[in-house]
Amino acid sequence: MSRPGSLSQTPNPALGPGEVPDDSAFLDRLADRLAGLPGVEAVSLGGSRAQGTNRPDSDWDLSIYYRGTFDPQDLRDVGWPGEVAEVGAWGGGVFNGGAWVHVEGRPVDIHYRDLNSVEHELAEARQGRFRTERLMFHLAGIPSYIVVGELAINQVLRGDLPQPSYPEALRENAPKVWWSLAELTFGYAADGHAAQGRLAQCAATLTVAMSYAAHAVLSARGEWTTNEKTLLSRAGLSGLDDILTDFTPANLPDACEAARALADSARSAG
C-alpha cells in the first residue's frame, strides 16, 4: 500500500556534499538492516523498482517476511523518521500492516508479511480459491492472492522465498468471481443510481465495477496484480475516462451502457 502523502524530506547522512546516491549500496544497507530485525526470515523489493518502471522519485517498497510473530517496536527502535503501524492495523487480513519511513532521506514503504499466512494463500491459489478484502485506497478491495503475486514479481533480497507461476486453477476460477461482481455492480449503477440521476454515486459505482472487470481480464490472462494504480490501463479499460468526461445527470443511463459495453469488449478480447 503506497503512502497517502510524503513525509518532509530529510538529508541523506550517507552522502557528502554533491555526492550522487548509489541505489545499489543503499538497497544493500536497507535490506541488511531489515533482515537483522528479530523474527525476520526474508526481505524482498517490490513495486516499480522491482519491475524497472520506477521514476527517480519513486518510493522504495520492501516486504519483510516473518514466521508467526513480529514486533513493530523493533522497527521503531531503528530510529527512522516516519510512521510504524501495529500488526493488523491495515485491515488485519493478508495486507496486515507496515511502515512509511524515510531512510537516508529516501521514502521507504515497508510491508509486514506473515509467512504462515502467505503460504496458506499460496496453497489456496493453487486450488483456485481466494477472497477479497477491504484495504484503504483500493476501490475493488484486494484479492487474497495479492501476496502470492508479490512472491512471483518481487525481487528477493535476503532469505529464501518461493517464486510461483500463476496457478491454472486460479486462472480458471478467478475471472468467474470477478465478472460476477462486475456484472452485479454495473447493474446497480444503472438501476440504483443512473435512473435517479445520482451523478457522483453512479460514477463511483461504475468505477468500482470497471475495477472488478479489470481484475477479471487480468486473471484470465494469468497476470498478477499487486495494486490498482495501472489496473484499468493494463486491462484495456482506461476508456472509462472518456465515458466519465461528459458525465451529466441526463446521460447517466447511456454512460452506464457504454461502460458495460467497454467491459464486455475487453472480456471478449480476453
PDB file of all heavy atoms in Angstrom, residues 196-214:
ATOM      1  N   GLN A 196     -31.995   7.483 -11.116  1.00  0.00           N
ATOM      2  CA  GLN A 196     -32.377   8.572 -10.214  1.00  0.00           C
ATOM      3  C   GLN A 196     -31.515   9.825 -10.406  1.00  0.00           C
ATOM      4  O   GLN A 196     -31.643  10.786  -9.654  1.00  0.00           O
ATOM      5  CB  GLN A 196     -32.276   8.111  -8.758  1.00  0.00           C
ATOM      6  CG  GLN A 196     -33.409   7.188  -8.311  1.00  0.00           C
ATOM      7  CD  GLN A 196     -33.277   5.799  -8.926  1.00  0.00           C
ATOM      8  OE1 GLN A 196     -32.168   5.282  -9.067  1.00  0.00           O
ATOM      9  NE2 GLN A 196     -34.407   5.196  -9.286  1.00  0.00           N
ATOM     10  N   GLY A 197     -30.621   9.790 -11.384  1.00  0.00           N
ATOM     11  CA  GLY A 197     -29.798  10.958 -11.672  1.00  0.00           C
ATOM     12  C   GLY A 197     -28.724  11.253 -10.653  1.00  0.00           C
ATOM     13  O   GLY A 197     -28.282  12.393 -10.521  1.00  0.00           O
ATOM     14  N   ARG A 198     -28.293  10.225  -9.910  1.00  0.00           N
ATOM     15  CA  ARG A 198     -27.269  10.436  -8.879  1.00  0.00           C
ATOM     16  C   ARG A 198     -25.885  10.393  -9.527  1.00  0.00           C
ATOM     17  O   ARG A 198     -25.302   9.332  -9.720  1.00  0.00           O
ATOM     18  CB  ARG A 198     -27.383   9.361  -7.795  1.00  0.00           C
ATOM     19  CG  ARG A 198     -28.743   9.350  -7.090  1.00  0.00           C
ATOM     20  CD  ARG A 198     -28.746   8.372  -5.932  1.00  0.00           C
ATOM     21  NE  ARG A 198     -30.060   8.266  -5.329  1.00  0.00           N
ATOM     22  CZ  ARG A 198     -30.826   7.177  -5.362  1.00  0.00           C
ATOM     23  NH1 ARG A 198     -30.380   6.077  -5.975  1.00  0.00           N
ATOM     24  NH2 ARG A 198     -32.000   7.163  -4.784  1.00  0.00           N
ATOM     25  N   LEU A 199     -25.376  11.556  -9.840  1.00  0.00           N
ATOM     26  CA  LEU A 199     -24.158  11.670 -10.640  1.00  0.00           C
ATOM     27  C   LEU A 199     -22.940  11.070  -9.937  1.00  0.00           C
ATOM     28  O   LEU A 199     -22.265  10.194 -10.487  1.00  0.00           O
ATOM     29  CB  LEU A 199     -23.906  13.139 -10.965  1.00  0.00           C
ATOM     30  CG  LEU A 199     -22.793  13.445 -11.962  1.00  0.00           C
ATOM     31  CD1 LEU A 199     -23.182  12.964 -13.346  1.00  0.00           C
ATOM     32  CD2 LEU A 199     -22.507  14.944 -11.989  1.00  0.00           C
ATOM     33  N   ALA A 200     -22.624  11.547  -8.755  1.00  0.00           N
ATOM     34  CA  ALA A 200     -21.410  11.112  -8.067  1.00  0.00           C
ATOM     35  C   ALA A 200     -21.453   9.624  -7.737  1.00  0.00           C
ATOM     36  O   ALA A 200     -20.483   8.893  -7.960  1.00  0.00           O
ATOM     37  CB  ALA A 200     -21.208  11.935  -6.797  1.00  0.00           C
ATOM     38  N   GLN A 201     -22.586   9.170  -7.220  1.00  0.00           N
ATOM     39  CA  GLN A 201     -22.683   7.767  -6.830  1.00  0.00           C
ATOM     40  C   GLN A 201     -22.641   6.843  -8.045  1.00  0.00           C
ATOM     41  O   GLN A 201     -22.069   5.757  -7.989  1.00  0.00           O
ATOM     42  CB  GLN A 201     -23.963   7.544  -6.022  1.00  0.00           C
ATOM     43  CG  GLN A 201     -23.887   8.156  -4.629  1.00  0.00           C
ATOM     44  CD  GLN A 201     -25.253   8.297  -4.003  1.00  0.00           C
ATOM     45  OE1 GLN A 201     -26.070   9.099  -4.447  1.00  0.00           O
ATOM     46  NE2 GLN A 201     -25.514   7.517  -2.960  1.00  0.00           N
ATOM     47  N   CYS A 202     -23.230   7.290  -9.145  1.00  0.00           N
ATOM     48  CA  CYS A 202     -23.199   6.485 -10.364  1.00  0.00           C
ATOM     49  C   CYS A 202     -21.766   6.373 -10.885  1.00  0.00           C
ATOM     50  O   CYS A 202     -21.312   5.284 -11.260  1.00  0.00           O
ATOM     51  CB  CYS A 202     -24.107   7.100 -11.420  1.00  0.00           C
ATOM     52  SG  CYS A 202     -24.276   6.085 -12.903  1.00  0.00           S
ATOM     53  N   ALA A 203     -21.049   7.497 -10.908  1.00  0.00           N
ATOM     54  CA  ALA A 203     -19.663   7.475 -11.386  1.00  0.00           C
ATOM     55  C   ALA A 203     -18.795   6.581 -10.519  1.00  0.00           C
ATOM     56  O   ALA A 203     -17.982   5.796 -11.022  1.00  0.00           O
ATOM     57  CB  ALA A 203     -19.111   8.900 -11.407  1.00  0.00           C
ATOM     58  N   ALA A 204     -18.987   6.686  -9.207  1.00  0.00           N
ATOM     59  CA  ALA A 204     -18.189   5.879  -8.295  1.00  0.00           C
ATOM     60  C   ALA A 204     -18.486   4.394  -8.470  1.00  0.00           C
ATOM     61  O   ALA A 204     -17.569   3.559  -8.490  1.00  0.00           O
ATOM     62  CB  ALA A 204     -18.457   6.306  -6.858  1.00  0.00           C
ATOM     63  N   THR A 205     -19.745   4.062  -8.612  1.00  0.00           N
ATOM     64  CA  THR A 205     -20.130   2.661  -8.742  1.00  0.00           C
ATOM     65  C   THR A 205     -19.639   2.080 -10.065  1.00  0.00           C
ATOM     66  O   THR A 205     -19.179   0.931 -10.121  1.00  0.00           O
ATOM     67  CB  THR A 205     -21.655   2.516  -8.624  1.00  0.00           C
ATOM     68  OG1 THR A 205     -22.091   3.129  -7.412  1.00  0.00           O
ATOM     69  CG2 THR A 205     -22.064   1.041  -8.589  1.00  0.00           C
ATOM     70  N   LEU A 206     -19.704   2.860 -11.136  1.00  0.00           N
ATOM     71  CA  LEU A 206     -19.171   2.402 -12.415  1.00  0.00           C
ATOM     72  C   LEU A 206     -17.661   2.149 -12.322  1.00  0.00           C
ATOM     73  O   LEU A 206     -17.141   1.182 -12.895  1.00  0.00           O
ATOM     74  CB  LEU A 206     -19.439   3.427 -13.510  1.00  0.00           C
ATOM     75  CG  LEU A 206     -20.832   3.463 -14.112  1.00  0.00           C
ATOM     76  CD1 LEU A 206     -20.902   4.544 -15.190  1.00  0.00           C
ATOM     77  CD2 LEU A 206     -21.219   2.103 -14.692  1.00  0.00           C
ATOM     78  N   THR A 207     -16.955   3.000 -11.603  1.00  0.00           N
ATOM     79  CA  THR A 207     -15.511   2.838 -11.474  1.00  0.00           C
ATOM     80  C   THR A 207     -15.173   1.572 -10.697  1.00  0.00           C
ATOM     81  O   THR A 207     -14.240   0.841 -11.052  1.00  0.00           O
ATOM     82  CB  THR A 207     -14.900   4.070 -10.789  1.00  0.00           C
ATOM     83  OG1 THR A 207     -15.257   5.247 -11.519  1.00  0.00           O
ATOM     84  CG2 THR A 207     -13.389   3.962 -10.735  1.00  0.00           C
ATOM     85  N   VAL A 208     -15.940   1.305  -9.659  1.00  0.00           N
ATOM     86  CA  VAL A 208     -15.731   0.059  -8.910  1.00  0.00           C
ATOM     87  C   VAL A 208     -16.025  -1.145  -9.802  1.00  0.00           C
ATOM     88  O   VAL A 208     -15.273  -2.121  -9.827  1.00  0.00           O
ATOM     89  CB  VAL A 208     -16.599   0.034  -7.642  1.00  0.00           C
ATOM     90  CG1 VAL A 208     -16.553  -1.341  -6.982  1.00  0.00           C
ATOM     91  CG2 VAL A 208     -16.139   1.101  -6.656  1.00  0.00           C
ATOM     92  N   ALA A 209     -17.128  -1.070 -10.549  1.00  0.00           N
ATOM     93  CA  ALA A 209     -17.486  -2.173 -11.451  1.00  0.00           C
ATOM     94  C   ALA A 209     -16.387  -2.418 -12.477  1.00  0.00           C
ATOM     95  O   ALA A 209     -16.028  -3.570 -12.774  1.00  0.00           O
ATOM     96  CB  ALA A 209     -18.799  -1.864 -12.152  1.00  0.00           C
ATOM     97  N   MET A 210     -15.823  -1.340 -13.018  1.00  0.00           N
ATOM     98  CA  MET A 210     -14.769  -1.488 -14.017  1.00  0.00           C
ATOM     99  C   MET A 210     -13.496  -2.042 -13.385  1.00  0.00           C
ATOM    100  O   MET A 210     -12.736  -2.772 -14.041  1.00  0.00           O
ATOM    101  CB  MET A 210     -14.490  -0.159 -14.694  1.00  0.00           C
ATOM    102  CG  MET A 210     -13.792  -0.303 -16.033  1.00  0.00           C
ATOM    103  SD  MET A 210     -14.841  -1.115 -17.289  1.00  0.00           S
ATOM    104  CE  MET A 210     -15.784   0.279 -17.892  1.00  0.00           C
ATOM    105  N   SER A 211     -13.265  -1.729 -12.128  1.00  0.00           N
ATOM    106  CA  SER A 211     -12.108  -2.294 -11.427  1.00  0.00           C
ATOM    107  C   SER A 211     -12.269  -3.800 -11.268  1.00  0.00           C
ATOM    108  O   SER A 211     -11.302  -4.558 -11.440  1.00  0.00           O
ATOM    109  CB  SER A 211     -11.942  -1.622 -10.064  1.00  0.00           C
ATOM    110  OG  SER A 211     -11.705  -0.233 -10.202  1.00  0.00           O
ATOM    111  N   TYR A 212     -13.477  -4.242 -10.940  1.00  0.00           N
ATOM    112  CA  TYR A 212     -13.738  -5.690 -10.893  1.00  0.00           C
ATOM    113  C   TYR A 212     -13.487  -6.316 -12.269  1.00  0.00           C
ATOM    114  O   TYR A 212     -12.874  -7.386 -12.380  1.00  0.00           O
ATOM    115  CB  TYR A 212     -15.190  -5.962 -10.491  1.00  0.00           C
ATOM    116  CG  TYR A 212     -15.565  -5.645  -9.069  1.00  0.00           C
ATOM    117  CD1 TYR A 212     -16.840  -5.160  -8.762  1.00  0.00           C
ATOM    118  CD2 TYR A 212     -14.675  -5.837  -8.020  1.00  0.00           C
ATOM    119  CE1 TYR A 212     -17.208  -4.871  -7.453  1.00  0.00           C
ATOM    120  CE2 TYR A 212     -15.035  -5.547  -6.708  1.00  0.00           C
ATOM    121  CZ  TYR A 212     -16.311  -5.067  -6.434  1.00  0.00           C
ATOM    122  OH  TYR A 212     -16.685  -4.785  -5.143  1.00  0.00           O
ATOM    123  N   ALA A 213     -13.988  -5.649 -13.295  1.00  0.00           N
ATOM    124  CA  ALA A 213     -13.814  -6.168 -14.653  1.00  0.00           C
ATOM    125  C   ALA A 213     -12.337  -6.267 -15.020  1.00  0.00           C
ATOM    126  O   ALA A 213     -11.905  -7.227 -15.672  1.00  0.00           O
ATOM    127  CB  ALA A 213     -14.547  -5.280 -15.657  1.00  0.00           C
ATOM    128  N   ALA A 214     -11.552  -5.281 -14.604  1.00  0.00           N
ATOM    129  CA  ALA A 214     -10.117  -5.309 -14.899  1.00  0.00           C
ATOM    130  C   ALA A 214      -9.443  -6.497 -14.208  1.00  0.00           C
ATOM    131  O   ALA A 214      -8.591  -7.173 -14.799  1.00  0.00           O
ATOM    132  CB  ALA A 214      -9.476  -3.998 -14.456  1.00  0.00           C
TER     133      ALA A 214
END
